[in-house]
């Protein structure tokens, strides 16, 4: 079943139903070494599935849950099986801010494991209709909870006793986390922004190729008309076979609309989509989540 959350739709199964968990990997065509996060209805449920609950976890849950923050913590070995965590000793926990999913989880009394409800490496779904276009009705029942308000996946943070590591950027930033915890060490794990360290990727889902649309995507700060055909030739394109879109200037609006944008159809006589992005994007952390998705979805950035 696909469930609505405030970030993206998830393809869900109760964490104790192994056959249904296997089916998630099958339907998504996702490799078994990529772990799933589990969705809880509150902090009390979360604690049950962890080995330890550091002071930082308590503070972050109080501030951001329900909401777009996933915390990676040491797992309870008895209750969280290796299929979910791909053999790891840690588990990702998230309390989604959507009344339908929260009700469902609390009535079932058990967490739901759920990755984003898209095929592996493809664009994530921020509307019920996006899920319906990727999976047949026979395979996946979609619990329609409307459009996702945040629009990109949760921030993932590994929580240790003295330290946080951001494994995936989202709309909750390191500044937001620091405001709650005060003087805290926050590192960024390796994301697409830092390809040179790809061997150090801690979160297996953070591969370079991800969120991919059905057409080649190029992006840059200039408008398409200002770009030289010489620059486009490197990609096998020219100006007149590109279709341009402009990313909204407000990061929250851009995030909300991002996956619909990556699912637009380009006209049949065009070969690529060119996305003009705001000029301040690379400077401010609030854009990092959107930029990370775009870098993984695109084939290049034009200076
Ligand atoms: O907003 C979200 O987080 C959405 C909604 C449905 O809740 N879910 C989501 O799940 O984005 P998924 O599976 O598409 O992305 C979860 C990421 C994957 O990159 C996975 O590798 C990573 O979390 N992950 C899961 N468990 C982990 C763990 N124990 N340690 C490190 N990374 C982990
Ligand atoms: Mg995903």
């Amino acid at each position: 079943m696909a469930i609505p959350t405030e970030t993206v739709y998830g393809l869900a199964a109760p964490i104790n139903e192994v056959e249904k968990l296997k089916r998630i990997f099958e339907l998504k065509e996702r490799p078994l070494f990529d772990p799933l996060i589990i969705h809880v209805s509150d902090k009390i449920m979360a604690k049950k599935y962890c080995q330890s609950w550091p002071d930082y976890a308590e503070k972050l849950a109080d501030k951001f849950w329900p909401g777009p923050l996933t915390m990676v913590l040491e797992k309870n070995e008895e209750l969280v099986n290796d299929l979910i965590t791909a053999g790891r000793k840690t588990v990702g926990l998230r309390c989604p801010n959507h009344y339908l999913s929260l009700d469902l989880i609390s009535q079932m009394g058990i967490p739901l494991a759920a990755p984003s409800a898209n095929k592996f490496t493809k664009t994530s779904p921020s509307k019920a209709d996006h899920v319906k276009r990727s999976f047949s009705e026979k395979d996946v029942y979609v619990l329609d909870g409307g459009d996702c308000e945040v629009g990109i996946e949760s921030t993932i943070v590994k929580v240790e006793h003295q330290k946080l590591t951001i494994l995936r950027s989202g709309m909750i930033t390191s500044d937001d986390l620091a405001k709650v915890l005060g003087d805290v060490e926050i590192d960024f794990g390796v994301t697409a922004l830092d390809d040179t360290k790809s061997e150090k990727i801690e979160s297996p889902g953070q591969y370079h190729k991800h969120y991919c649309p059905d057409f080649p995507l190029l992006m840059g700060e200039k408008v398409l008309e200002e770009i030289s055909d010489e620059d486009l030739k490197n990609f096998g394109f020219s100006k007149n076979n590109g279709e341009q879109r402009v990313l909204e200037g407000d990061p929250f609006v851009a995030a909300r609309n991002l996956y619909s944008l990556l699912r637009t159809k380009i006209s049949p006589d065009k070969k690529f989509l060119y996305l003009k992005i705001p000029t301040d994007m690379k400077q401010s952390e609030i854009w990092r989540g959107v930029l990370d998705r775009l870098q993984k979805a695109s084939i290049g950035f034009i200076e």
Side-chain angles (χ1 to χ4, degrees):
M1 173 162 98
I3 57 164
T5 83
E6 81 283 29
T7 58
V8 297
Y9 274 77
L11 199 56
I15 62 162
N16 60 348
E17 295 197 35
V18 173
E19 287 314 310
K20 288 191 183 152
L21 294 172
K22 285 188 185 152
R23 188 84 180 118
I24 291 178
F25 286 93
E26 245 172 59
L27 286 171
K28 254 189 89 88
E29 295 157 25
R30 174 165 168 145
L32 287 168
F33 59 76
D34 192 359
L36 305 178
I37 63 172
I38 73 173
H39 296 69
V40 294
S41 54
D42 54 31
K43 195 171 74 180
I44 301 165
M45 188 185 268
K47 285 183 191 175
K48 193 174 158 191
Y49 295 88
C50 306
Q51 184 64 35
S52 68
W53 184 260
D55 188 37
Y56 283 173
E58 179 78 9
K59 289 189 174 140
L60 293 178
D62 283 343
K63 173 70 183 175
F64 296 111
W65 279 6
L69 181 73
T70 296
M71 291 197 274
V72 171
L73 292 157
E74 265 177 72
K75 72 170 179 175
N76 178 326
E77 290 282 348
E78 274 165 35
L79 297 181
V80 185
N81 67 54
D82 275 347
L83 184 60
I84 292 170
T85 61
R88 285 161 183 255
K89 297 232 166 291
T90 54
V91 62
L93 294 123
R94 172 161 133 72
C95 181
N97 191 12
H98 195 293
Y99 71 102
L100 283 178
S101 294
L102 286 174
D103 265 10
L104 183 68
I105 299 162
S106 68
Q107 285 191 29
M108 293 182 76
I110 189 153
L112 294 177
S116 51
N118 52 280
K119 298 275 184 185
F120 189 60
T121 77
K122 290 293 187 180
T123 305
S124 308
S126 54
K127 294 174 186 282
D129 196 48
H130 294 166
V131 186
K132 290 179 188 162
R133 278 188 257 155
S134 306
F135 301 97
S136 78
E137 225 174 302
K138 159 178 99 27
D139 288 329
V140 177
Y141 169 79
V142 182
L143 181 60
D144 190 341
D147 297 353
C148 303
E149 282 180 11
V150 176
I152 62 169
E153 295 87 341
S154 58
T155 302
I156 302 183
V157 60
K158 185 171 178 191
V159 181
E160 290 163 301
H161 286 280
Q162 301 294 329
K163 187 183 157 194
L164 300 184
T165 310
I166 297 182
L167 301 179
R168 180 175 69 189
S169 295
M171 297 313 283
I172 293 178
T173 63
S174 67
D175 282 350
D176 297 329
L177 301 172
K179 265 187 214 138
V180 179
L181 301 178
D183 192 16
V184 55
E185 184 189 341
I186 305 181
D187 282 348
F188 280 92
V190 179
T191 70
L193 297 180
D194 194 354
D195 260 358
T196 53
K197 299 190 206 150
S198 59
E199 77 281 5
K200 291 194 193 137
I201 286 178
E202 256 194 84
S203 194
Q206 298 305 295
Y207 293 109
H208 186 74
K209 188 172 177 296
H210 208 145
Y211 312 106
C212 295
D214 292 334
F215 41 76
L217 174 71
L218 277 172
M219 56 175 179
E221 291 174 357
K222 294 181 191 158
V223 290
L224 187 56
E225 295 80 70
E226 285 172 4
I227 294 170
S228 71
D229 267 329
E230 202 52 42
D231 283 339
L232 291 169
K233 222 160 87 188
N234 298 332
F235 297 95
F237 301 133
S238 70
K239 244 180 287 197
N240 55 22
N241 57 33
E243 189 163 312
Q244 175 168 256
R245 296 273 199 289
V246 179
L247 192 66
E248 291 92 344
D250 177 323
F252 292 92
V253 178
R256 192 175 308 137
N257 297 334
L258 185 69
Y259 293 141
S260 291
L261 175 82
L262 294 181
R263 287 164 186 271
T264 47
K265 295 266 173 277
I266 59 174
S267 79
D269 58 322
K270 303 292 182 192
K271 288 195 178 149
F272 70 101
L273 187 84
Y274 176 76
L275 186 65
K276 190 223 164 295
I277 63 169
T279 40
D280 64 347
M281 244 183 127
K282 286 188 170 170
Q283 276 81 52
S284 75
E285 200 203 327
I286 190 61
W287 278 109
R288 195 167 172 138
V290 171
L291 192 57
D292 170 56
R293 275 41 170 208
L294 282 174
Q295 287 186 324
K296 288 177 178 153
S298 69
I299 58 165
F301 185 88
I302 297 187
E303 294 292 340

